């Protein structure tokens, strides 16, 4: 592909020196897991999100799992979430033995519909798990209001949205816990797997800290069965080197999104809505068109990558499809056939965006 979906190598010159110095330091320190770099990263992420705590772990899926488990959600409980997301969102619910209840999204934001949440609440509902899909914040005011009315926890899936904010409040600071993925292609990506939870709740933070490390608060003393979900120092070094660039990288993504929209306006496409100021960090730039497959084929012929997130909604995936046989989610199902994500990464250029848009214009113009 002459234009890839993401080009992680393009950022390397900005961070390489800091990373090499940090890795050298770790090698010499002999401390490889949950050491000083991880602790510093936890402080940095808590500061970014404006939360009292951040707890590092091994992946975004683990972050969700640890948060749900620490909240005491388990068998017999229901967690309301979206089917228009990555499977990790629902896997975490299944891991604790709870049942994911999938409700529809709003077609204009791709995010969970607060009205649909209210309609799905039962006596077993314990939590709402919104996803800030593609980097666009879900409607946290409405979701928070539903949660308060019914005494439910909110756990945010912030895997795609680090740095996004609503009314000056960052994602990860709205619910009982925020859950972040640092998978390499995310807006803040490690050079391997990594994750983080954020919370203002001291007891929840303490529980997640113990859970990620074999249920241990004191070495070789175990209070409950936990997990091995720790962060290594090398990943913490990489993430701290990149964190200093996150604001600029997210600003670049917003500028690229605006450039795409300017060049694609007027075509028979639904363009993504950036929402209120700061609410979108464009992990993906995703358009909708009934002629999606045709557009994607033309891009491919031109050597331009594009991707479908996600072609099969979770209520139609093998692990959930039987339990969800009678679940119908019209907006989710329509989006799955119409969405197309275009190349997006901080070091993308106007010339490359021109190239992508010229091909799309050639098909739809
Ligand atoms: C990436 C992602 C996850 C899972 O994160 P991992 O670090 O890959 O485990 C969960 N939810 C969403 C929405 C994601 O994009």
């Amino acid at each position: 592909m002459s234009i890839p979906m993401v080009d992680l190598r393009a950022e390397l010159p900005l961070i390489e020196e800091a990373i090499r110095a940090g890795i050298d330091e770790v090698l010499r320190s002999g401390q490889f897991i949950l050491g000083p770099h991880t602790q510093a990263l936890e402080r940095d992420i808590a500061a970014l999100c404006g939360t009292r705590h951040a707890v590092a772990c091994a992946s975004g899926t683990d972050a969700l799992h640890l948060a749900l488990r620490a909240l005491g959600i388990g068998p017999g409980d229901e967690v309301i979430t979206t089917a228009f997301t990555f499977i990790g969102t629902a896997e975490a619910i299944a891991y604790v033995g709870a049942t994911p209840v999938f409700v529809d999204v709003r077609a204009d934001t791709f995010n969970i519909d607060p009205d649909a949440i209210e309609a799905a609440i039962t006596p077993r509902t314990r939590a709402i798990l919104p996803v800030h899909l593609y980097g666009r914040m879900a409607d946290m005011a409405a979701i928070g209001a539903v949660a308060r009315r019914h005494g439910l926890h909110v756990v945010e899936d912030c895997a795609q949205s680090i740095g996004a904010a609503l009314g000056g409040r960052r994602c990860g600071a709205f619910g009982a816990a925020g859950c972040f993925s640092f998978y390499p292609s995310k807006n803040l990506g490690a050079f391997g797997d990594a994750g983080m939870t954020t919370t203002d709740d001291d007891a929840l933070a303490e529980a997640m800290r113990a859970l990620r490390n074999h249920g241990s608060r004191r070495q070789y003393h175990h209070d409950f069965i936990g997990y091995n979900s720790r962060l290594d120092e090398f990943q913490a070094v990489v993430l701290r080197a990149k964190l200093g660039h996150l604001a600029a990288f997210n600003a670049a993504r917003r500028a690229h999104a605006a450039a795409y929209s300017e060049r694609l306006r007027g075509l028979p496409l639904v363009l993504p809505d950036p929402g209120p100021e700061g609410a979108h960090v464009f992990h993906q730039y995703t358009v909708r068109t009934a002629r999606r497959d045709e557009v994607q084929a033309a891009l491919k012929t031109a050597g331009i990558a594009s991707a479908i997130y996600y072609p099969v909604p979770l209520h139609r995936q093998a692990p959930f499809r039987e339990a969800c046989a009678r679940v119908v989610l019209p907006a989710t199902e329509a989006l799955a056939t119409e969405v197309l994500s275009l190349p997006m990464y901080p070091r993308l250029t106007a010339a490359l965006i021109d190239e992508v848009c010229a091909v799309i214009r050639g098909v739809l113009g």
Side-chain angles (χ1 to χ4, degrees):
M1 289 284 161
S2 67
I3 309 182
M5 280 303 283
V6 290
D7 186 353
L8 299 174
R9 289 163 311 172
E11 314 170 355
L12 204 54
L14 293 173
I15 51 177
E16 195 164 5
E17 206 175 306
I19 292 173
R20 286 192 194 282
I23 288 176
D24 259 0
E25 207 182 299
V26 173
L27 291 177
R28 282 193 304 271
S29 78
Q31 241 188 306
F32 295 108
I33 286 184
L34 295 182
H37 292 276
T38 303
Q39 285 160 18
L41 178 69
E42 290 179 337
R43 287 193 296 273
D44 292 346
I45 296 291
L48 171 76
C49 296
T51 56
R52 285 172 55 79
H53 307 279
V55 179
C57 62
S59 73
T61 307
D62 278 6
L64 291 159
H65 181 197
L66 294 171
L68 294 172
R69 170 101 195 262
L71 286 167
I73 294 168
D77 296 335
E78 294 175 354
V79 178
I80 298 176
T81 191
T82 159
F84 197 56
T85 179
F86 180 65
I87 185 103
T89 311
E91 276 178 319
I93 299 169
Y95 290 163
V96 298
T99 303
V101 174
F102 298 113
V103 302
D104 215 352
V105 292
R106 287 184 43 159
D108 56 345
T109 64
F110 307 107
N111 282 325
I112 195 164
D113 180 347
D115 297 334
I117 294 172
E118 186 116 48
I121 291 171
T122 76
R124 291 173 180 268
T125 307
R126 294 284 311 284
I128 305 169
L129 207 175
V131 179
H132 307 301
L133 198 73
Y134 305 147
R136 163 85 198 254
M137 295 277 308
D139 184 349
M140 295 312 291
I143 292 166
V146 175
R148 279 190 299 278
R149 264 201 302 283
H150 297 273
L152 305 174
H153 298 298
V154 175
V155 175
E156 295 173 76
D157 184 337
C158 307
Q160 302 186 0
S161 62
I162 189 162
L166 275 177
R169 193 164 167 198
R170 303 263 191 196
C171 70
F174 284 85
C179 304
F180 294 83
S181 166
F182 303 129
Y183 185 78
S185 62
K186 302 290 162 87
N187 285 31
L188 181 65
F191 290 170
D193 276 306
M196 186 78 70
T197 57
T198 51
T199 184
D200 278 329
D201 182 327
D202 298 351
L204 195 65
E206 144 91 346
M208 293 190 294
R209 259 177 221 292
L211 278 169
R212 74 171 169 184
N213 193 19
H214 301 287
S216 169
R217 295 185 174 96
R218 184 152 65 102
Q219 201 172 23
Y220 305 125
H221 293 73
H222 304 277
D223 300 328
F224 39 78
I225 295 294
Y227 309 95
N228 176 347
S229 181
R230 300 173 297 219
L231 188 67
D232 70 76
E233 290 287 281
F234 292 124
Q235 300 309 332
V237 161
V238 171
L239 291 165
R240 290 190 71 214
K242 286 194 179 184
L243 191 56
H245 298 279
L246 180 67
F249 284 172
N250 280 347
R253 288 173 180 273
R254 283 191 191 107
H256 299 328
Y260 268 126
S261 290
E262 194 184 298
R263 287 160 179 75
L264 296 174
R265 200 152 285 133
L267 294 176
L269 280 172
V270 182
L271 303 175
D273 174 3
E277 176 89 32
H280 208 322
V281 291
F282 286 98
H283 175 59
Q284 299 296 339
Y285 181 88
T286 305
V287 299
R288 287 172 56 199
T289 165
R291 294 167 65 189
R292 189 257 315 268
D293 295 346
E294 208 183 321
V295 172
Q296 187 168 40
L299 288 169
K300 188 171 178 207
T301 304
I304 298 168
S306 63
I308 298 166
Y309 305 117
Y310 296 89
V312 182
L314 299 188
H315 67 303
R316 298 291 178 246
Q317 296 278 2
F320 302 115
R321 123 177 116 207
E322 236 169 273
C324 297
R326 288 204 301 274
V327 175
V328 179
L329 307 174
T332 297
E333 284 154 32
L335 289 175
T337 67
E338 292 184 1
V339 289
L340 188 66
S341 296
L342 303 178
M344 174 57 83
Y345 48 90
R347 309 286 274 177
L348 193 63
T349 63
L352 294 175
I353 293 172
D354 280 342
E355 225 182 290
V356 176
C357 294
V359 173
I360 296 174
R361 190 163 289 281
V363 179
L364 300 177

